Amino acid sequence: MLRIVVTVMSVLVLAVSGTAWAALSGSFATSGALSKKGTAADGATDVLLVGTDSRNDAQGNPLPRDVLAQLDAGTADGELNTDSMILVRVPNDGSRAVAFSLPRDSYVSIPGQFSKGKLNSVYPGAKAAMAQQLVAGGDSDPRDVDVRSSEAGRAALIETVQELTGIGVDHYAEINLLGFFNLTNAIGGVDVCLKNAVDDDFSGAHFAAGPRSVEGRDALAFVRQRHGLPLGDLDRVRRQQAFLAGLSHKVLSAGTLADPITLGRLLDSVKQSVVLDGGWDLLGFAQQMQGVSGGAVTFMTIPTEGGLSTSVGDALKVNESEVKQFVSDAIGPKDAPVVPTGPAPAQIPVDVRNASGTGGAAARVVQILGAQGYTQLRSGNAEQTASSSAVLFGPGGDAGAGVVARALGGLPTRPDATLPASSVRVLLAPDYRGPGAVTAPADSADSAPPPPPQPPITADGIPCVN
């Protein structure tokens, strides 16, 4: 099954080929799932990107057997899966994009129901219920049933994601197996890197450690693997982010789309595989994205609190209030802040040290800073605990310290002659309540320990992952 949402490429490709996309927008299948879900203006455009393992094209027609064989997809094991979901936020000034991965096994509240379920069950559950209703009502056209029931699934997923993240979804994009396969072939592969060699028959991932380029079947295998990885599906999410970072890097910084032949192949490859909401002004969005460079796309994962045994199988425990706070911290205040004096975030070396005694505190703050444009980031534990949080700076680092202190809620600053020149160190004590603050989860006998926070992945370079 495809566990990847390469529809994010629509966000990235539009930055350099908006006119072409706008001209072809009538060629895409469209969705009306957002028609009754108008959202208030909040200073940004928020796009829900979904990857499915559908064996149908975007118009509801079954993919031919020879195409499925080429994909090495096998047969579907039951209902449609939406195992890749990413919420991308692009500020109105188009300065950067932050993409939040939503793990498929997140155990969340489902609007309109009295129980919880896995996030990846929302779309197929609502789709199956609507399909049954349509058939019972006399609809005997499989294509029509597929298209109309899919709309019900999309609407339910949009509502669930809005409730989980606290962010109103402005636009929706979906891609299937064939679209992903063709996309990677059209651009000549995507550069990725593995920390260790992998040999997994379930996904077909048989790769040596180190850098490589993947396309077609190999690309599918790279993003599908979860067996044999230290954190299972969370590592697969990390794989997806690394792949999308490589894709972003290639599309936005290497001039990939300057070649009209490549651009034509890319657009042709996705017309039959992409579903976009019908109200999306693609040309306007392309103009909004003009300022986004490759390194200004940051991929993050919402926080989870470890494995959980439920009536629907193993899941990931999620504190929905913490998720909302995490997303809010990462995107920053809704009102445009006054631009502070001092160096740009990307120019400031920041070392975040955990002196709080709460595991993962430094890594979480690094995630938040990464989403806000800081790129020279390190994290680790302090040599000893501290009673109060502060931002320390080496010789000549006072201006950078002030910028970081404001980003973290107004922490006090002080000089430290032992630090390198112009560098900044954030000391996190138990009193820290600023952006990215970690609340230690209550001990629970029914859940495994929470996974360690991971630093954000950006499209500035090719990260090595598990």
Side-chain angles (χ1 to χ4, degrees), residues 330-395:
I331 65 179
K334 293 181 180 179
D335 297 326
V338 176
V339 178
T341 57
Q347 299 173 334
I348 307 172
V350 184
D351 183 9
V352 183
R353 295 299 177 94
N354 183 6
S356 69
T358 300
R364 179 66 60 78
V365 169
V366 161
Q367 286 187 314
I368 300 302
L369 291 175
Q372 297 182 9
Y374 293 82
T375 58
Q376 302 181 60
L377 294 168
R378 297 174 55 194
S379 65
N381 292 321
E383 295 180 357
Q384 57 187 16
T385 58
S387 59
S388 60
S389 302
V391 177
L392 316 180
F393 58 90

Side-chain angles (χ1 to χ4, degrees), residues 217-279:
R217 292 186 183 186
D218 281 349
L220 285 170
F222 180 84
V223 299
R224 288 170 61 199
Q225 185 185 1
R226 62 187 175 92
H227 297 281
L229 300 180
L231 295 178
D233 201 59
L234 288 177
D235 273 336
R236 178 164 58 177
V237 168
R238 193 86 171 155
R239 286 268 191 99
Q240 296 168 3
Q241 293 173 343
F243 179 90
L244 291 173
L247 173 63
S248 307
H249 183 78
K250 186 164 188 176
V251 170
L252 293 181
S253 64
T256 301
L257 301 181
D259 177 5
I261 296 177
T262 299
L263 177 59
R265 286 201 305 262
L266 177 60
L267 294 173
D268 287 341
S269 74
V270 298
K271 281 189 295 183
Q272 62 180 311
S273 310
V274 170
V275 177
L276 304 176
D277 69 85

